[in-house]
Amino acid sequence: MCGLQATVQRAKDELVAGTDPGWFGHPELVDSWRRCVSQLGHPRELRSIPTVPESWLDDTPLELLREPLDVLTGSLEGSGAALLLTDSRGLVLERWFGDPAAGVHLDSVGSRRGADLRETTVGTNAVSLAVTTERSVQVSGSEHFSEFFDHSACVAEPIPDPVSGETLAVITLTAPINPRITFMRSWLATMRMHVAGHLAHRLSRPSSLRVEDTEEWALRQALSETQGDIARTCELLGLSRATVYRRIRRYRISATGQAPH
């Protein structure tokens, strides 16, 4: 266990044992753990993810957002990450992934249509925290309350209703725990902007969203972050060297992430 995860685990262990980890400094996470202790008992209690009956699901968010999310799925190819859409309660409406490994990961954490990811059911997770805080969150490894999710890293973005401002749905990127979590958060934020734009203009004009827009943005950001190091860029994006070079040529990007003059 790395140093950061060990620190998180120590704070959670103290709280479960009845000691307030005031030194930890992440009050929203600690508050969630505290609620989980009273609701679920111990982090080892959860062994599988329950699903709700189909009649419980309201597919309105899926009907509104399926088009852009179908398109955005293309940008996940080879990344190992999967995309989830949940309603404002935390019930999974749909999932998308670009390669079989991401599907295997989703199955390993029970994330399928109807899966109940509410905090009261499965403990602290990115979806439930995004619903609670109404902002972007990331939860990785032992930051989850339940040990069932210890191998998973997730970032979640609430999607507000453009009329009421209330959370309509949550989109989440999830993958096995990895060092790309920070970049996944930036990637998902860009997806959220596309989705919000689509939602705001859905009734007035057709969406102009293209998968190429997200692919190009992600590649430019990665090259800039790695200062043009192709090996590190491949690792950050979860793509092969051949795919990265192919996209560099397709989008006419220099090694620094800028368009050539």
Side-chain angles (χ1 to χ4, degrees):
M1 184 180 294
C2 70
L4 177 59
Q5 289 293 308
T7 299
V8 173
Q9 188 64 54
R10 174 189 161 202
K12 187 167 66 176
D13 288 345
E14 288 183 7
L15 186 136
V16 171
T19 302
D20 184 7
W23 55 269
F24 185 52
H26 296 274
E28 289 176 345
L29 193 59
V30 171
D31 285 345
S32 177
W33 291 343
R34 187 174 288 111
R35 292 190 296 270
C36 291
V37 169
S38 106
Q39 294 157 356
L40 302 175
H42 195 277
R44 296 194 188 95
E45 289 295 319
L46 185 70
R47 299 185 181 277
S48 63
I49 305 302
T51 58
V52 301
E54 188 75 20
S55 60
W56 285 29
L57 301 178
D58 177 0
D59 277 332
T60 300
L62 180 58
E63 293 165 1
L64 290 170
L65 301 176
R66 181 186 290 280
E67 179 186 348
L69 295 178
D70 281 348
V71 174
L72 287 165
T73 299
S75 68
L76 299 177
E77 182 180 357
S79 69
L83 182 65
L84 291 176
L85 175 69
T86 68
D87 66 13
S88 60
R89 296 168 293 175
L91 305 180
V92 176
L93 301 177
E94 188 57 278
R95 65 184 197 171
W96 294 261
F97 50 91
D99 57 73
V104 170
H105 171 68
L106 285 177
D107 289 341
S108 75
V109 291
S111 294
R112 56 181 60 86
R113 179 169 168 82
D116 186 348
L117 300 182
R118 290 176 294 181
E119 182 186 84
T120 53
T121 305
V122 300
T124 309
N125 63 85
V127 172
S128 65
L129 275 182
V131 170
T132 301
T133 64
E134 298 185 325
R135 59 178 176 79
S136 171
V137 298
Q138 70 179 50
V139 178
S140 180
S142 54
E143 289 176 341
H144 296 91
F145 178 75
S146 297
E147 293 181 3
F148 183 84
F149 296 112
D150 272 2
H151 67 293
S152 183
C154 305
V155 291
E157 288 270 0
I159 304 299
D161 184 303
V163 177
S164 69
E166 296 180 354
T167 298
L168 172 70
V170 177
I171 57 174
T172 303
L173 277 179
T174 179
I177 190 167
N178 65 75
R180 301 195 302 272
I181 184 71
T182 301
F183 189 77
M184 283 171 57
R185 189 168 188 172
S186 300
W187 199 346
L188 188 62
T190 297
M191 288 184 170
R192 178 190 56 77
M193 288 189 288
H194 283 309
V195 168
H198 169 85
L199 189 60
H201 297 288
R202 185 175 186 269
L203 299 180
S204 61
R205 64 172 183 260
S207 172
S208 60
L209 178 65
R210 302 180 307 146
V211 65
E212 289 85 357
D213 295 332
T214 302
E215 284 184 353
E216 181 180 355
W217 175 88
L219 181 55
R220 289 185 186 278
Q221 290 293 313
L223 285 167
S224 176
E225 185 170 326
T226 64
Q227 299 181 318
D229 186 316
I230 297 298
R232 288 177 56 211
T233 296
C234 292
E235 180 181 357
L236 193 61
L237 292 174
L239 299 176
S240 70
R241 185 178 290 263
T243 299
V244 167
Y245 277 122
R246 185 168 61 249
R247 292 184 183 179
I248 285 174
R249 292 192 296 271
R250 179 189 305 164
Y251 302 122
R252 294 173 54 80
I253 302 172
S254 73
T256 61
Q258 305 299 314
H261 298 293

